[in-house]
Amino acid sequence: MTRRPARVAAACALGLLLLPGCTALPFGDDEEEAPVPTTSAPRQVESYVLDDEQAARTIPEPLPGWDRSPVDDTPTRWRKTDPPACIDVLLLGQPRRDAKAMQSGQASDGATTGSGDSLRVLNVTVESHEQPVAPALLDRAQQALPGCSAFAFYGEQGGSQLDERISAEALPTQAVGQQSVGIRKTLLAKVGGEQKTYYLDTLAVRDGNTLVVVTLTHTDPQTDLSPLGTTAQKVIAAVPEAAR
């Protein structure tokens, strides 16, 4: 069996943990203005309802230079944040639970490129629903962001207690689908005795009955973010064909 490097496994675990060993982050006290919602030009959106197999067909092949990587599906028993509103920044609040209650299909996949400090991990989740995804999911994430420049995240995963300190901010991204929002989460983690800063950059897209969440985990604050928009656009474009 091929063993994955510790940094690969750690980065994948962090991406799963927040879909959305750590020490405190150097948080600032500056207040941010509420981010402006990111929306695409109005267009007619069909109500496609996908099952698991159809949802999986919307996920594109890895981009050139990327290798497919399985997504760790270890369940998390519970998750909460302090302040409580920051759970919406992680897209784990009541609107997401409401959406999951109407979920008809779901699929996830991942890919990696680089190694060591240049390692980047891309995770994509596609969820289809019986009804259109409500705007409240992304609206509440945007509304909560100004108060979540520093927050605590708690939970339990695989029998381990989670206690993380996270910084979140709006992430400028291209508009995709009916509504999209970009969020950068920053945290510190110890990997192999070395403390590293990880960035989890997420693009969440609402389009009709489909929710797409793409997260890029990396250690370079200036990394190329184009895989987020490229992947999300390919998923949305593949939905009509997958629904046939």
Side-chain angles (χ1 to χ4, degrees), residues 132-151:
V133 180
L137 176 61
L138 302 189
D139 287 347
R140 282 177 50 163
Q142 292 168 326
Q143 292 162 5
L145 265 175
C148 297
S149 59
F151 67 97

Side-chain angles (χ1 to χ4, degrees), residues 57-81:
R57 292 206 296 267
T58 69
I59 299 178
E61 290 297 312
L63 297 167
W66 292 72
D67 297 316
R68 189 177 297 281
S69 175
V71 175
D72 182 0
D73 59 358
T74 304
T76 302
R77 292 185 59 188
W78 58 272
R79 288 174 283 199
K80 66 178 182 179
T81 60

Side-chain angles (χ1 to χ4, degrees), residues 28-239:
D29 295 326
D30 294 339
E31 293 274 335
E32 295 183 47
E33 293 185 2
V36 177
T38 305
T39 56
S40 301
R43 62 184 179 83
Q44 186 68 32
V45 178
E46 297 288 341
S47 296
Y48 297 106
V49 178
L50 310 180
D51 58 24
D52 290 349
E53 182 179 343
Q54 292 169 322
R57 292 206 296 267
T58 69
I59 299 178
E61 290 297 312
L63 297 167
W66 292 72
D67 297 316
R68 189 177 297 281
S69 175
V71 175
D72 182 0
D73 59 358
T74 304
T76 302
R77 292 185 59 188
W78 58 272
R79 288 174 283 199
K80 66 178 182 179
T81 60
D82 183 17
C86 295
I87 198 72
D88 288 318
V89 169
L90 302 180
L91 305 177
L92 297 173
Q94 189 61 49
R96 185 71 176 275
R97 294 193 291 271
D98 292 342
K100 283 186 175 295
M102 299 188 298
Q103 188 171 292
S104 61
Q106 186 269 349
S108 297
D109 207 350
T112 62
T113 188
S115 61
D117 290 339
S118 64
L119 173 69
R120 295 193 294 166
V121 180
L122 188 74
N123 289 328
V124 55
T125 296
V126 181
E127 297 178 359
S128 182
H129 308 83
E130 298 290 346
Q131 301 291 332
V133 180
L137 176 61
L138 302 189
D139 287 347
R140 282 177 50 163
Q142 292 168 326
Q143 292 162 5
L145 265 175
C148 297
S149 59
F151 67 97
F153 174 80
Y154 307 102
E156 182 179 341
Q157 184 180 43
S160 300
Q161 297 299 310
L162 308 174
D163 185 350
E164 314 286 354
R165 299 300 178 269
I166 302 170
S167 173
E169 60 184 318
L171 183 71
T173 54
Q174 66 190 91
V176 182
Q178 283 182 294
Q179 181 186 19
S180 58
V181 61
I183 300 171
R184 166 165 288 183
K185 284 99 56 186
T186 304
L187 56 85
L188 298 182
K190 269 194 173 180
V191 180
E194 182 181 2
Q195 187 167 275
K196 305 291 292 184
T197 300
Y198 283 93
Y199 302 95
L200 289 82
D201 293 335
T202 295
L203 175 61
V205 178
R206 175 182 68 85
D207 196 68
N209 295 34
T210 304
L211 175 68
V212 183
V213 181
V214 187
T215 297
L216 181 64
T217 303
H218 58 93
T219 59
D220 178 7
Q222 304 301 320
T223 197
D224 175 23
L225 299 179
S226 63
L228 293 173
T230 299
T231 301
Q233 284 185 322
K234 287 184 177 181
V235 171
I236 294 300
V239 168

